Amino acid sequence: MGTARGALRSAVRAVYEGPFAAPEGAAVLHPNGFAKLPVAVVPDTGRRLFLHVWLSDGEDSHVHNHRWDFSSIVLTGQLDNTLMEVGPGGEGPRYRALRHRPCAGGFRFDGGDAPDVGVTALRTVVLPERSAYTMDALTLHRVRAGRGTMTLVARGMASRAYSDVLLDGPVEDGERRMRTIGSSERMRYLRRALEALG
């Protein structure tokens, strides 16, 4: 928790010392229902730290994986993390597997040749407050969290240009913008996370 506390203190003060440097990018409202705030960068490792704050009770809009491996600490609240495996012969619910790519100020779905897949395995891991966990880039999952849940995420370098998103309905290809979060709202979330660590 010492590293988390140090990173959050640096972000609140806007003074980065020791292993931390100022992050790049804006704080945004992520389509999965949480505020995503850049906190710090650890230059020697290439790791980037983010604070996620869930603004309402809910579940990720899509099953997804990531472009990078990451580790996370649940600062407040609880995550129910449902892990999935899929394949063309899966007998569970059917999805289209699209590519999700970042673009300036948002993201885009590429669904040109999206294969049809079915769930082959499913399990849910409950992560209470102060739990730490890691996940590799290719693990498909969907998170459920309650309003006010906060996690500090340390993500590694991107290992590929896209992530996978599973959709069970129609989607239009193309870019989508994310709403940015103002500096006062950002600071409120950072202070709340620092207070949660004591």
Side-chain angles (χ1 to χ4, degrees):
M1 294 291 178
T3 300
R5 195 174 286 110
L8 288 165
R9 268 197 204 109
S10 293
V12 166
R13 295 179 185 153
V15 176
Y16 293 87
E17 302 172 327
F20 305 116
E24 298 175 354
V28 296
L29 181 60
H30 194 281
N32 280 341
F34 55 84
K36 177 183 173 185
L37 292 75
V39 172
V41 174
V42 184
D44 291 345
T45 66
R47 292 182 85 67
R48 299 175 65 194
L49 306 177
F50 293 86
L51 178 66
H52 293 177
V53 182
W54 274 261
L55 305 179
S56 60
D57 295 345
E59 186 173 56
D60 288 345
S61 55
H62 308 298
V63 177
H64 63 283
N65 58 24
H66 295 277
R67 295 183 300 128
W68 50 79
D69 298 340
F70 71 93
S71 57
S72 183
I73 301 168
V74 181
L75 301 178
T76 62
Q78 173 180 296
L79 295 183
D80 296 344
N81 209 346
T82 299
L83 310 176
M84 295 185 190
E85 294 178 24
V86 299
E91 295 180 7
R94 306 299 295 177
Y95 295 96
R96 286 177 58 223
L98 283 79
R99 290 185 172 177
H100 175 278
R101 298 177 190 274
C103 60
F107 63 94
R108 64 176 294 120
F109 287 127
D110 294 328
D113 296 321
D116 184 58
V117 296
V119 174
T120 59
L122 183 74
R123 71 183 173 97
T124 298
V125 178
V126 176
L127 298 157
E129 193 168 299
R130 301 301 168 111
S131 294
Y133 69 100
T134 60
M135 191 172 290
D136 72 70
L138 298 179
T139 300
L140 288 163
H141 63 284
R142 176 178 259 168
V143 170
R144 175 175 291 281
R147 183 173 192 263
T149 296
M150 291 189 288
T151 61
L152 188 66
V153 177
R155 74 180 209 202
M157 301 291 287
S159 58
R160 56 192 182 143
Y162 63 89
S163 58
D164 302 298
V165 172
L166 304 184
L167 298 178
D168 56 3
V171 67
E172 292 181 20
D173 288 352
E175 296 185 8
R176 290 161 174 77
R177 307 278 302 168
M178 287 193 272
R179 181 179 73 81
T180 57
I181 292 172
S183 58
S184 62
E185 185 178 357
R186 175 182 176 272
M187 189 58 67
R188 188 168 71 247
Y189 295 140
L190 290 171
R191 289 186 188 282
R192 195 181 301 164
L194 194 52
E195 288 168 11
L197 285 174

